[in-house]
Amino acid sequence: MSRFMTHPDYSFEAAARALGATRIAGVDEVGRGPLAGPVTAAAVVLDPENIPEGLNDSKKLSAKRRDVLAKDIHRLAEVSIVHVSVAEIDEHNILRASHIAMERAVAGLSMAPDHLLIDGNMIPKGLTIQSQAVVKGDAKSLSIAAASIVAKTSRDALMMDLAQQFPGYGWETNAGYPSPKHKAALIELGVTPHHRRSFKPVHNILYQGKN
């Protein structure tokens, strides 16, 4: 099989176990790119004897399949999900806010893991547990894939709720990302309390009257 068609497996977790780790958490975040809404992170500790079937990078799954798998993950694994607010995104920056979300997601687990598998190429500075950054980890590690799924489904559900409170921006379908409908609504309807004021399209409308 081509390396571009691989699916996540348990090899990163198995390698950590071979070195003595017994409680391994996959960590991922979603929501760096949207103009509105929080950034969300999840930490998931899978039971190696009872891993949900069909785990994959959340971006490669349909919404329906993600919802089914999210329920399986919540039922069969330990899950911690954290939303970091727009205010904190604007106070720090989106990279640091996403790392804060990851740190809090790990802290929210009932027991501290002894090894972390983190999606991306950076380890958040607030994590003192033995950690391994895995580039495109949601497509390589089952634990990270599981975290990507529950993070996305949780954030999507939150944005669906916000879409009912602030109709017209299309958050129920674009999840706050800068789709044409969302950007047009920003000009027509204005900026909501859930928009990230530090992001250029929102900042420009607020302070320069530009798109």
Side-chain angles (χ1 to χ4, degrees):
M1 179 180 289
S2 165
R3 65 189 177 93
F4 297 110
M5 298 175 63
T6 57
H7 293 278
D9 59 29
Y10 203 68
S11 59
F12 285 92
E13 292 86 344
R17 287 185 175 279
L19 295 175
T22 59
R23 187 170 165 79
I24 300 160
V27 186
D28 199 6
E29 55 76 28
V30 65
R32 285 195 192 186
L35 303 179
V39 62
T40 301
V44 174
V45 180
L46 293 175
D47 176 356
E49 303 300 324
N50 207 2
I51 297 174
E53 293 186 11
L55 296 180
N56 204 342
D57 176 356
S58 64
K59 297 183 291 296
K60 298 178 180 178
L61 300 167
S62 67
K64 183 176 180 180
R65 186 62 181 147
R66 281 196 300 267
D67 288 342
V68 170
L69 283 169
K71 291 176 183 176
D72 288 343
I73 295 164
H74 279 281
R75 178 170 55 87
L76 298 174
E78 184 181 348
V79 177
S80 171
I81 302 171
V82 168
H83 303 288
V84 166
S85 71
V86 166
E88 286 187 276
I89 292 170
D90 288 340
E91 177 186 352
H92 301 284
N93 57 62
I94 187 57
L95 176 61
R96 179 61 194 139
S98 67
H99 284 185
I100 290 170
M102 289 182 174
E103 294 163 10
R104 290 177 184 170
V106 172
L109 293 166
S110 64
M111 293 174 55
D114 53 14
H115 191 87
L116 301 176
L117 296 171
I118 299 169
D119 184 54
N121 61 1
M122 296 178 66
I123 296 172
K125 63 184 180 181
L127 293 175
T128 57
I129 299 165
Q130 175 66 39
S131 302
Q132 179 179 4
V134 184
V135 175
K136 299 188 184 302
D138 42 10
K140 298 175 181 177
S141 158
L142 286 171
S143 297
I144 297 175
S148 79
I149 291 167
V150 294
K152 180 162 178 55
T153 54
S154 178
R155 187 181 185 280
D156 283 355
L158 185 151
M159 294 308 295
M160 287 280 286
D161 288 343
L162 290 179
Q164 303 305 310
Q165 301 173 42
F166 295 89
Y169 297 89
W171 293 345
E172 66 278 5
T173 55
N174 62 45
Y177 283 85
S179 68
K181 178 177 180 178
H182 189 180
K183 290 191 288 186
L186 263 174
I187 297 170
E188 295 168 10
L189 303 175
V191 176
T192 75
H194 299 285
H195 278 102
R196 301 173 180 180
R197 283 155 170 73
S198 56
F199 278 43
K200 188 174 181 179
V202 181
H203 183 274
N204 285 351
I205 288 171
L206 281 173
Y207 300 106
Q208 299 174 30
K210 298 178 182 178
N211 186 9

